[in-house]
Amino acid sequence: MTTAPDATAPQPPAPEQAAPEQAGGPTGPAPDTHQHPDTHQHPHTEQQGALVPPTVLAVIPARGGSKGVPAKNLAPVAGVPLVARAVRESLAARHVTAVVVSTDDEYIADVARAAGAEVVQRPSEIAGDTATSEAAVLHAMDVYEARYETEVDVVLLVQCTSPFLTGEDIGGVAGAVAEDGADSALTVAPFHGFVWRDGHSDAHPAATDTAAATATDATAAATASRGSYGVNHDKAFRPRRQDRPQDLLETGAAYAMSAAGFRAAGHRFFGRTDLVRTDPARTLEVDDPHDLARARALAPLLDAPGSSRPTFADLDAVVLDFDGTQTDDRVLIDSDGREFVSVHRGDGLGIAALRRSGLKLLILSTEQNPVVAARARKLRLPVLHGIDRKDLALKQWCEEEGVAPERVMYVGNDVNDLPCFGLVGWPVAVAGAHDVVRDAARTVTTAEGGFGAIREIAAWLLGPSLTVPTGPATTATTGPATTGTTGSGTTGGNP
């Protein structure tokens, strides 16, 4: 059933495909272009002798209710909400004409629009716990077609709970239908595991569906009474991995369907189904808090370097190098051999705001010069300096402070910072850092060290006005200025 367009959504440019002429003039009935799901019709159409690319609509279901992880679709991974990550990759995918987020939640709608998607307001009757993704896709397709008076040729179902889905994956399933003649397609990953099933489970096929006990699982049916059994293998025969057939695991990330076939079938698999192989390392679905924690821990490894910035919610601590990060890396020496460095007042303002926010802060430096401790006293920050192995000191500090390394930002500029980069979830390089350090960083500031780089980072986390997030009262980070070799200083002064 065609639904009225969402009048509140912004109106982006119309899709590349022009609206087809309707028999009987502008107000006449549209021709019936639906087809049987087993009869594939190539989605490219001819219009006045020219081949017109198909209209490929990517639909991202993202309802507000979630029992496993509250507000799951807004949960940030690498500083980007899950729904925004899905929108970003869908917009980057080949073949995709438009991206629509189907939601019943105003906050998700705002995030989706900000990320570049259109929004379809999902009715409550298909937004509950028992609602299917197919219902959301069909409704979104109806709204889109009514909104633009056009016909969708290929529709995609993109799940934002797969945080490491790529535009290449989405383009792969779209191309399988739009170009290669498939009726439906899905992302899969190579799988080499031995799957077992509990022989006493109610889900045993021999107990619930006699027809399921085919020749391939005859062993399972025959041995069910004796306990658990192998699903994709005979437990009495254990071939080497290279001698076994290649199993493929459905990733649950992206699906593509001929729009007409999808309407006729009512589900996502019909006709010829193609498999699009993806990187198994990226196969993760966020269904519970543990999955979300794993996604956040894996993001530094799987996301492109410099592709994202953290939010305040991603961090528990910020650790700062000194020379080249809080200074411009130059040292001025007077005739008596005394050393002077230059710092940025904006950095002091940013650090003061970070300290008030309740984040744990630390200055960590190999430099033994007392100027490091003096600056730390001025900023009222704990400091470890004169440290040869900064990575060991950082690891010990995290253990003592009870901070998970994946929730630590480390800011550095040179090769002696690389071991610390490998320990934390958010390695950040300042502009002007050594090339190898920039390459290893998760993101890079636009300001150079000594010219406001730390103030810039504070703005990432707290906003341009450095507003401390509201919430439970927190204790500002302070601590003694200490060295790795010779003693300690005191705190005091104003930043």
Side-chain angles (χ1 to χ4, degrees), residues 112-149:
R113 290 190 184 102
E118 294 190 57
V119 171
V120 167
Q121 299 293 336
R122 196 188 311 184
S124 58
E125 56 267 25
I126 58 170
D129 292 339
T130 60
T132 66
S133 296
E134 280 85 351
V137 172
L138 182 60
H139 172 261
M141 187 165 59
D142 284 342
V143 171
Y144 183 85
E145 290 185 334
R147 182 179 292 171
Y148 291 110
E149 298 181 354

Coordinates of all heavy atoms in Angstrom, one line a residue, residues 112-149:
A112 N 20.4 10.7 11.2 CA 20.4 10.2 9.8 C 20.4 11.3 8.8 O 21.2 11.3 7.8 CB 19.2 9.3 9.6
R113 N 19.6 12.4 9.0 CA 19.6 13.5 8.1 C 21.0 14.2 8.1 O 21.5 14.6 7.0 CB 18.5 14.5 8.5 CG 17.1 14.0 8.3 CD 16.1 15.1 8.4 NE 14.7 14.6 8.3 CZ 13.9 14.3 9.3 NH1 14.3 14.6 10.6 NH2 12.7 13.9 9.1
A114 N 21.6 14.4 9.3 CA 22.9 15.0 9.4 C 23.9 14.2 8.6 O 24.9 14.8 8.1 CB 23.3 15.2 10.8
A115 N 23.8 12.9 8.6 CA 24.7 12.1 7.9 C 24.5 12.0 6.4 O 25.3 11.5 5.6 CB 24.7 10.6 8.4
G116 N 23.4 12.6 5.9 CA 23.1 12.7 4.5 C 22.0 11.8 3.9 O 21.8 11.7 2.7
A117 N 21.3 11.1 4.8 CA 20.2 10.2 4.4 C 18.9 11.0 4.4 O 18.7 12.0 5.0 CB 20.1 9.0 5.3
E118 N 17.9 10.4 3.6 CA 16.5 10.8 3.8 C 15.9 10.0 4.9 O 16.5 9.0 5.3 CB 15.7 10.5 2.5 CG 16.2 11.4 1.3 CD 15.2 11.2 0.2 OE1 14.0 11.5 0.4 OE2 15.6 10.8 -0.9
V119 N 14.8 10.4 5.4 CA 14.2 9.8 6.5 C 12.7 9.4 6.2 O 12.0 10.3 5.6 CB 14.2 10.6 7.8 CG1 13.3 10.0 8.9 CG2 15.6 10.8 8.3
V120 N 12.3 8.2 6.5 CA 10.9 7.8 6.4 C 10.4 7.5 7.8 O 11.0 6.6 8.5 CB 10.8 6.6 5.4 CG1 9.4 5.9 5.6 CG2 11.0 6.9 4.0
Q121 N 9.4 8.2 8.2 CA 8.8 7.9 9.5 C 8.1 6.6 9.5 O 7.1 6.4 8.8 CB 7.9 9.1 9.9 CG 8.5 10.4 10.0 CD 9.6 10.5 11.1 OE1 9.5 9.8 12.1 NE2 10.5 11.4 11.0
R122 N 8.5 5.7 10.4 CA 7.9 4.3 10.4 C 6.7 4.3 11.2 O 6.8 4.7 12.4 CB 9.0 3.3 10.8 CG 8.5 1.9 10.5 CD 9.4 0.8 11.1 NE 10.8 1.0 10.9 CZ 11.7 0.2 11.4 NH1 11.4 -1.0 12.0 NH2 13.0 0.4 11.2
P123 N 5.6 3.8 10.8 CA 4.4 3.7 11.6 C 4.6 2.7 12.8 O 5.4 1.8 12.7 CB 3.3 3.1 10.6 CG 3.9 3.3 9.3 CD 5.4 3.3 9.4
S124 N 3.9 3.0 13.8 CA 4.1 2.2 15.1 C 3.8 0.7 14.9 O 4.3 -0.1 15.5 CB 3.2 2.8 16.2 OG 1.8 2.8 15.8
E125 N 2.8 0.4 14.0 CA 2.4 -1.0 13.8 C 3.6 -1.8 13.2 O 3.5 -3.1 13.2 CB 1.2 -1.1 12.9 CG 1.3 -0.4 11.6 CD 0.7 1.0 11.6 OE1 0.8 1.6 12.7 OE2 0.3 1.4 10.5
I126 N 4.6 -1.2 12.6 CA 5.7 -2.0 12.1 C 7.0 -1.5 12.8 O 8.1 -1.7 12.2 CB 5.8 -1.9 10.5 CG1 6.0 -0.5 10.1 CG2 4.7 -2.5 9.9 CD1 6.4 -0.3 8.6
A127 N 6.9 -1.0 14.0 CA 8.1 -0.6 14.7 C 8.3 -1.3 16.0 O 9.2 -0.9 16.8 CB 8.0 0.9 15.0
G128 N 7.5 -2.3 16.3 CA 7.6 -3.0 17.6 C 8.7 -4.1 17.5 O 9.4 -4.3 16.6
D129 N 8.8 -4.8 18.7 CA 9.8 -5.9 18.8 C 9.6 -7.0 17.8 O 10.6 -7.7 17.4 CB 9.8 -6.4 20.2 CG 10.2 -5.4 21.3 OD1 10.9 -4.5 20.9 OD2 9.9 -5.6 22.4
T130 N 8.4 -7.2 17.4 CA 8.1 -8.3 16.5 C 8.1 -7.9 15.0 O 7.8 -8.7 14.1 CB 6.7 -9.0 16.8 OG1 5.7 -8.0 16.7 CG2 6.8 -9.6 18.2
A131 N 8.3 -6.6 14.7 CA 8.3 -6.1 13.4 C 9.4 -6.7 12.6 O 10.5 -6.9 13.1 CB 8.3 -4.6 13.3
T132 N 9.2 -7.0 11.3 CA 10.2 -7.6 10.5 C 11.0 -6.5 9.7 O 10.4 -5.4 9.4 CB 9.7 -8.6 9.5 OG1 8.8 -7.9 8.5 CG2 8.9 -9.7 10.2
S133 N 12.2 -6.8 9.3 CA 12.9 -5.8 8.5 C 12.3 -5.7 7.1 O 12.2 -4.6 6.5 CB 14.4 -6.3 8.3 OG 15.1 -6.3 9.5
E134 N 11.7 -6.8 6.6 CA 11.0 -6.7 5.3 C 9.9 -5.7 5.3 O 9.7 -5.0 4.3 CB 10.5 -8.1 4.9 CG 11.6 -9.1 4.4 CD 12.3 -9.8 5.4 OE1 12.2 -9.5 6.6 OE2 13.1 -10.7 5.1
A135 N 9.1 -5.7 6.4 CA 8.0 -4.7 6.5 C 8.5 -3.3 6.4 O 7.9 -2.4 5.7 CB 7.2 -5.0 7.7
A136 N 9.6 -3.0 7.1 CA 10.2 -1.7 7.1 C 10.7 -1.3 5.7 O 10.5 -0.2 5.2 CB 11.3 -1.6 8.1
V137 N 11.3 -2.3 5.0 CA 11.9 -2.0 3.7 C 10.7 -1.7 2.7 O 10.8 -0.8 1.9 CB 12.7 -3.2 3.2 CG1 13.1 -3.0 1.7 CG2 14.0 -3.3 4.1
L138 N 9.7 -2.5 2.7 CA 8.6 -2.4 1.8 C 7.9 -1.0 2.0 O 7.6 -0.3 1.1 CB 7.6 -3.5 2.0 CG 6.3 -3.5 1.1 CD1 6.8 -3.6 -0.4 CD2 5.4 -4.6 1.4
H139 N 7.7 -0.6 3.3 CA 7.1 0.6 3.6 C 7.9 1.8 3.1 O 7.4 2.8 2.5 CB 6.8 0.8 5.1 CG 6.4 2.1 5.5 ND1 7.2 3.1 6.1 CD2 5.1 2.7 5.5 CE1 6.5 4.2 6.3 NE2 5.3 4.0 6.0
A140 N 9.2 1.7 3.4 CA 10.1 2.8 2.9 C 10.2 2.9 1.4 O 10.2 4.0 0.9 CB 11.6 2.5 3.5
M141 N 10.1 1.8 0.7 CA 10.1 1.8 -0.7 C 8.8 2.5 -1.3 O 8.8 3.3 -2.2 CB 10.2 0.4 -1.3 CG 10.4 0.3 -2.8 SD 11.0 -1.3 -3.3 CE 9.7 -2.4 -2.7
D142 N 7.7 2.1 -0.6 CA 6.4 2.8 -1.0 C 6.5 4.3 -0.9 O 6.0 5.0 -1.7 CB 5.3 2.2 -0.2 CG 4.9 0.8 -0.6 OD1 5.2 0.4 -1.7 OD2 4.2 0.1 0.2
V143 N 7.0 4.7 0.3 CA 7.1 6.2 0.6 C 8.0 6.9 -0.4 O 7.7 7.9 -1.0 CB 7.5 6.4 2.0 CG1 7.8 7.9 2.2 CG2 6.5 5.9 3.0
Y144 N 9.1 6.2 -0.7 CA 10.1 6.9 -1.6 C 9.5 7.0 -3.0 O 9.6 8.0 -3.7 CB 11.4 6.0 -1.7 CG 12.4 6.6 -2.6 CD1 13.3 7.6 -2.1 CD2 12.5 6.2 -3.9 CE1 14.2 8.2 -2.9 CE2 13.5 6.8 -4.7 CZ 14.4 7.7 -4.2 OH 15.3 8.3 -5.0
E145 N 8.8 5.9 -3.5 CA 8.2 5.9 -4.8 C 7.1 7.0 -4.9 O 7.0 7.7 -5.9 CB 7.7 4.6 -5.2 CG 8.8 3.5 -5.4 CD 8.2 2.2 -5.9 OE1 7.1 1.9 -5.6 OE2 9.0 1.5 -6.6
A146 N 6.3 7.1 -3.8 CA 5.3 8.2 -3.8 C 5.9 9.6 -3.8 O 5.4 10.5 -4.4 CB 4.3 7.9 -2.7
R147 N 7.0 9.7 -3.0 CA 7.6 11.0 -2.8 C 8.1 11.6 -4.2 O 8.0 12.8 -4.4 CB 8.7 10.9 -1.8 CG 9.4 12.2 -1.4 CD 10.4 12.0 -0.4 NE 9.8 11.6 0.9 CZ 10.5 11.2 2.0 NH1 11.8 11.0 1.9 NH2 9.9 10.9 3.1
Y148 N 8.7 10.7 -4.9 CA 9.4 11.1 -6.2 C 8.7 10.7 -7.4 O 9.2 11.0 -8.5 CB 10.8 10.6 -6.2 CG 11.7 11.3 -5.2 CD1 12.2 10.6 -4.0 CD2 12.0 12.7 -5.3 CE1 12.9 11.2 -3.1 CE2 12.8 13.3 -4.3 CZ 13.2 12.6 -3.2 OH 14.0 13.2 -2.3
E149 N 7.5 10.1 -7.3 CA 6.8 9.6 -8.4 C 7.7 8.8 -9.4 O 7.7 9.1 -10.6 CB 6.1 10.8 -9.1 CG 5.1 11.5 -8.3 CD 4.4 12.7 -9.0 OE1 4.8 12.9 -10.1 OE2 3.5 13.3 -8.4

